[in-house]
Amino acid sequence: MFLPRPRSLVRDQGELVLDHSTTLGAPPALAGVLAWLQGALRPATGLPFATAEAATIQLSLADELEPEAYQLSVGSHVTICGGSPAGVFYGCQALLQLLPPAIYRRAPVSGQRWSLPAVQVDDAPRFGWRGVMLDVARHFLPKHDVLRFLDLMAAHRLNTLHWHLTDDQGWRCEIRRYPRLTEVGAWRRESQVGAGRDASGDGRPHGGYYTQDDVREIVAYAAERFITIVPEIESPGHVQAALAAYPSLGVTGQALEVWTRWGISRDVLNIEESTVDFFTGVLDEVLELFPSRYIGVGGDECPRDQWRADPRTRERMAELGTDDPQSWFIRRLDDHLTAAGRRSFGWDELLEGSPGPGTAIASWRGSTGTVAAARRGHDVVACPDDLVYLDYRQSELPDEPIPVSIPLAVADVYAFDPVPAELTPDEARHVLGGQANVWTEHADSPRTIDYLVFPRLCAVAEALWSSAERDFPDFDRRLRHHLARLDALGVEYRHADGPRPWQRRPGIPGRPESREERAAHVAGLVANIQVS
Amino acid sequence: MFLPRPRSLVRDQGELVLDHSTTLGAPPALAGVLAWLQGALRPATGLPFATAEAATIQLSLADELEPEAYQLSVGSHVTICGGSPAGVFYGCQALLQLLPPAIYRRAPVSGQRWSLPAVQVDDAPRFGWRGVMLDVARHFLPKHDVLRFLDLMAAHRLNTLHWHLTDDQGWRCEIRRYPRLTEVGAWRRESQVGAGRDASGDGRPHGGYYTQDDVREIVAYAAERFITIVPEIESPGHVQAALAAYPSLGVTGQALEVWTRWGISRDVLNIEESTVDFFTGVLDEVLELFPSRYIGVGGDECPRDQWRADPRTRERMAELGTDDPQSWFIRRLDDHLTAAGRRSFGWDELLEGSPGPGTAIASWRGSTGTVAAARRGHDVVACPDDLVYLDYRQSELPDEPIPVSIPLAVADVYAFDPVPAELTPDEARHVLGGQANVWTEHADSPRTIDYLVFPRLCAVAEALWSSAERDFPDFDRRLRHHLARLDALGVEYRHADGPRPWQRRPGIPGRPESREERAAHVAGLVANIQVS
C-alpha cells in the first residue's frame, strides 16, 4: 500500500478507526507538523481532531533515529516517531497512505470509514536530496499552482525543489534593484509551438512573475512541508530575457526581445566587471529570499561563438588570464556565494572547467557528470536525461503529445539509481541524491505539467527514498492503488493506455529520437569532461 | 477597509494584536466555522490559535439576528455573533479584512504585526442570492481551480454558484447511467479562437470532466463556505455535446461531433418521451449529487428551425396539443423536479411561454425578465448582460483581449441593482438577488478567468451584499486596498490601467458592440415576453 516502499513493514491483526473522539498530540517542537496533520486529516474526514495530552495519534521525536527516519505504529493507538520534525512529517505522510484514497480530497464525499490497519513501519530515505527541477521560465506557473506542486511533492516525500527561475524565454523573480528584469523580462511576444526550426509561433503573449512576497510565501510554504527550494538564476548563457531588459549585459549590446523560440539563444553575458556586479547584486536579493545552502547559477549549454568573435572579450580574457569565460564568470559568482556562506550549484558543463571546490553539480548528461564530480570531490545530484527528464515522451505511441527525445515509460524511470555502479563507496558519498527535471517548453499549462509529471514522478520518488532494490511488478501493483490517491487529488496524470483524447496535440511537431541517437549525442557532449 | 461595505461601522480607540496566546472559541454548533477560521488564520500567521473556553476570539449564535447577519466587535477581545453559522462565517470574513492583506497568504512572509483595530460592526446582506454563474462547459476548469474559485467567492461573501455544466461544446459531469455523456461529450476536437464566423480553430483538443466523487467533494467544500451550488443541465437547446454522445436524442438523429465553434448550435432535442426519460434520468443523478433547492434546466437561446422543419415533431406537437416544444420539454422537467421537492431554474426565455408555477428565472436580457417574472409571481435572479456579464470587454482600449460586446468597467458593474425601479415593494420580494455570469468561450485558462472576473466581481459582491446606495469614489478607495488582498491571494486581476502585456490577445477577433447596438438587439430579443 505504501509508495515509496518502506524499509520494513509488518502487518498486525486488527484496525483502528478514526472518529469524533480521535485526538492528536505532540510536544511543542512538533507544533508545525501537528498543525499540518490536522490540516491534512480534517478536510476529507470532517472530524475535529482536537489536541490532547494522551492522544489517539501521538507524534514524538527520537534522538536515536536519523533525521528523516520515522517509525509508525498502529495498534490500539497510533505513534509516529521521527528523528527530526521532517521524519515525523514523513511518518504522517505514511499514515495518510494507510487510509482510503479519499483522505486526499478537500471535503468529505460520503460516509467513508476511516480505518487504519494495524502495522509497524520502520523507514528512512536512502538519499538526502530527493528533488524535482521545475522550469517556470519557459512557461510561468501561477503561485497557487506552485503551492499545489509543493503539496504533491510532499505527498511523495520529495524534499528539494530546484526552481529554474530564469532563462532565455523569461525572468520570473522580482529583483528590486533591477526592475526591468520583470517589467521587460517577464513576458514574451509569443511562443513557439512544438519542436524544430519549422515550428510556428502562436502569436500569443506569455508571461508572469513572482513578487518577492510571493517568493517568501512559497519558500515558507515549502519549509512547512520540509522542502528546501534551491533557486536557479541562469548564467552566463540562457540569459536572453535578462539581455532584453539590460542590453549592456550582453556581448553585442544590441537590443533583443525576450526569446520566442525554444533551444539555446546565441546571446550570452559579457565578461565585464559590471556584469559580475549586476549578477552578484541579483544574487544578494536571492540570498535574502532563499535560505537554501545551495544556490543555482546555471552554467549549462552556454554557446561560445559570441565570445570568440568579439575583440573586446579576447582582450578581457588576456587581462584576466583565462581562456574560458564561462568558468571565469561562474567562478566569480561562486566566490560571492561562498563568501556569503552558501554553495553554488550548477550543471555538469561546469566540469569541463574547474568549478570552485564547494560547487555542487547537477549531472544531466547521462552518468558521466556524476562519476566525474564524485571522483573530483564535488557533491553531485544525479538527473540523467535518459532516465528522469519528465518532458521526454512517455511512449512510442503516435498520439503522445509533442513527442520529445526518447521514450521514458514509468518502468524506465523506475530503473533510475543516482549512484553509478562504477563509483566506489567512498566516491558514492558525494552523490547527494537525485532529481527529476521538468522542462516546460511544451507544457503550457498546469494540466500539461500534471500529464508529464505523473505518475512518472512517483517512480522517481521511490527510486530516491527506497533501497536500491527494484521490483517493478511490485511497484506497479502499489502504483495502481496510488493512482486512486492522485484521482482524489485531482491530478490529471497520464493513464497507462495513453493520453486521454484532450491530452493529445495532433499535428504539433516534436523531435523524437531513438535511444541510440540520444546516447551518441550525449557521448559527444560529455567527451571533454575529465572523469578524474 | 471593508468590501463589501457594512451596514454599520464604528471605529473605537485601540487595537488588539494576535499572538501566540490568542485563542479561539465557539459552541459545538459552530465547530465547522471554528475549524475554517483556524484554517484561515494559521497559514499566514504561523500562530497556533488553540481553542479555549474563554477565548480571545469568541464565536456565537444569536437568535435575534437574521440568519446571514453578524455583529463583530473588537476591543480587549473579539466577539463574532451571527444569526446562523453562515452569519458567523461572514463575521469571520470581515475579521480577516481588519488584518493586513498578508493574512490571505498561505504561509508567513515576514514579521507581520497582526493588529486588529477596535471596531463595532453590525451587518447583514441585502439579498439572499449572491451568485456567480461559472461556465465550465466551454472551457473545463480543473477541480482544484473550482475549489479556489469557491474560496474567492467566499472571501466576497457570495453564496451561490450557478454551475453551467453542459453545453454544445462539452458535458462536464459524470452520469453513471449514460457513460457516453463524458466518454464522448467531455471533449472536442478543437476550439474556435476569438469571435465571429471567420475566427479560426486552434486544432487542439480540449476536454475534461468531474467524476461524481469530484462533484461531491466540490459541493461539500462549497457548503463548508456556505455556498450553495445550483447545477445547470442545459436543454432543449445548447445540447450538441449530449447529441454527439447519443444522437437519438436529436431531431435529425444524425451523428454530430461535440461542437468546436462558439454560438448557438442549431441542433436541439427531439420531443419524444424517451428523451424526457433520458433527461429526467440525468436529473435523478444530479439530484443525488446536489442538495440545492434549485436545479438549472437551461431554456435559453433555443433555435426552433429543426422542430419547424421536422414532420415527426409537428405530428408530436399535435399529439401533445402544444405549439411550443421548448415550453413543453422544460415543463416536463419541472414536473419531475417538483415531484422530487425541488424547483426548476431557467433563463428568461422561459417567460416567452408559461413556466411551471415554482420555476425561478435567471433574467439576463436587461431587466425585462426581472420585471416580468416578478409581476407574474416567479422568483427571479437578476443577471442583466449589460451590467454583470463578466466576459464582456472591460474598456474601449484596443488591447482589451478578445473584446466582446459592450465595455463594462468596474464603475459600470458597481451600478448594478437587482431590483428594477419599476417594481413595487411587493413585486420586488420575488427578486431573490443577483449574480454575475462568467461565460468562458474566450477564457481558456484559469488565468484568463482571473482577468475577466476580478476586480469586477468585487463590485458585484458589494452590489448584492450592501445597501442600494452607491458611492463609487468610496468603493474605489476601498477597492484599491482590497487589491492588495487579491495580490496576496495570487489573483491575476485586471489592473486599472489595462491588461498586462501577457494578458493581451493581439489579432484575435472579438465582437465589440456599442451600448446602443446592444440595447437595440436585446430589445428585439425580449419583445415577446409578456411583462404582466
Side-chain angles (χ1 to χ4, degrees), chain B residues 365-437:
Chain B
R365 301 175 298 177
S367 61
T368 309
T370 305
V371 173
R375 292 200 175 146
R376 287 162 62 182
H378 290 282
D379 286 347
V380 59
V381 175
C383 45
D385 79 311
D386 58 347
L387 287 164
V388 291
Y389 264 39
L390 301 188
D391 57 328
Y392 285 8
R393 60 196 169 122
Q394 310 204 40
S395 75
E396 300 273 12
L397 291 177
D399 57 4
E400 210 59 69
I402 313 183
V404 165
S405 197
I406 60 172
L408 286 182
V410 173
D412 299 315
V413 173
Y414 184 68
F416 172 48
D417 188 321
V419 180
E422 57 261 56
L423 290 186
T424 66
D426 246 21
E427 291 164 349
R429 257 181 239 129
H430 283 293
V431 182
L432 302 177
Q435 65 184 28
N437 288 355

Side-chain angles (χ1 to χ4, degrees), chain A residues 219-485:
Chain A
V219 167
Y221 190 88
E224 287 171 355
R225 285 148 186 80
F226 301 94
I227 294 171
T228 299
I229 302 191
V230 175
E232 180 176 28
I233 305 294
E234 268 276 7
S235 69
H238 285 293
V239 290
Q240 188 168 328
L243 297 182
Y246 296 96
S248 65
L249 301 172
V251 174
T252 69
Q254 283 172 352
L256 291 166
E257 65 171 3
V258 178
W259 212 25
T260 61
R261 306 296 295 175
W262 311 132
I264 305 168
S265 166
R266 57 192 293 279
D267 283 281
V268 297
L269 296 179
N270 66 35
I271 53 170
E272 301 296 335
E273 205 57 38
S274 56
T275 300
V276 172
D277 287 348
F278 184 99
F279 271 79
T280 54
V282 168
L283 289 178
D284 284 342
E285 295 194 26
V286 168
L287 292 175
E288 273 175 35
L289 294 170
F290 294 92
S292 59
R293 174 177 169 83
Y294 297 100
I295 303 290
V297 292
D300 59 323
E301 300 181 327
C302 183
R304 282 149 163 97
D305 293 352
Q306 282 190 337
W307 287 328
R308 287 190 192 117
D310 180 54
R312 171 68 192 139
T313 301
R314 289 198 297 272
E315 202 178 294
R316 274 290 283 160
M317 285 166 65
E319 279 170 42
L320 299 166
T322 179
D323 60 354
D324 181 0
Q326 150 141 355
S327 282
W328 177 84
F329 191 86
I330 294 280
R331 196 62 186 258
R332 289 295 301 274
L333 301 187
D334 178 64
D335 289 346
H336 191 78
L337 293 172
T338 303
R342 310 289 187 99
R343 295 284 176 269
S344 64
F345 175 58
W347 299 99
D348 62 30
E349 281 89 339
L350 298 184
L351 296 169
E352 296 164 16
S354 299
T359 300
I361 299 297
S363 171
W364 69 281
R365 299 175 300 178
S367 62
T368 309
T370 305
V371 173
R375 292 203 173 144
R376 288 160 61 180
H378 290 283
D379 286 347
V380 60
V381 175
C383 46
D385 79 311
D386 58 347
L387 287 164
V388 291
Y389 265 40
L390 302 188
D391 57 328
Y392 286 7
R393 59 196 170 121
Q394 309 204 41
S395 76
E396 300 273 12
L397 290 177
D399 58 3
E400 210 59 68
I402 314 183
V404 164
S405 197
I406 60 172
L408 286 182
V410 173
D412 299 314
V413 173
Y414 184 68
F416 173 47
D417 188 322
V419 180
E422 58 260 56
L423 290 186
T424 66
D426 247 20
E427 291 165 348
R429 256 179 240 130
H430 283 292
V431 181
L432 301 177
Q435 65 184 28
N437 288 354
V438 183
W439 299 106
T440 59
E441 288 93 337
H442 309 298
D444 62 357
S445 83
R447 301 183 69 186
T448 310
I449 291 179
D450 273 14
Y451 177 81
L452 292 177
V453 170
F454 294 99
R456 293 190 291 185
L457 189 64
C458 310
V460 175
E462 176 149 322
L464 295 173
W465 178 281
S466 307
S467 73
E469 284 169 67
R470 294 288 182 276
D471 179 345
F472 185 71
D474 172 70
F475 173 77
D476 196 44
R477 190 177 49 75
R478 285 180 290 112
L479 180 60
R480 277 198 288 266
H481 182 70
H482 189 71
L483 294 180
R485 297 177 189 136

Side-chain angles (χ1 to χ4, degrees), chain B residues 37-61:
Chain B
L37 183 61
Q38 276 185 313
L41 292 175
R42 259 185 193 164
T45 62
L47 297 171
F49 294 105
T51 56
E53 284 216 14
T56 325
I57 301 176
Q58 186 68 43
L59 313 183
S60 61
L61 291 167

Side-chain angles (χ1 to χ4, degrees), chain A residues 105 143 204 207 217 447 488, chain B residues 105 143 207 217 444 447 488:
Chain A
R105 294 193 180 267
K143 184 187 76 174
R204 182 174 186 166
E217 177 184 1
R447 301 183 69 186
Chain B
R105 293 191 182 269
K143 184 187 77 175
E217 177 184 0
D444 61 358
R447 301 184 70 186

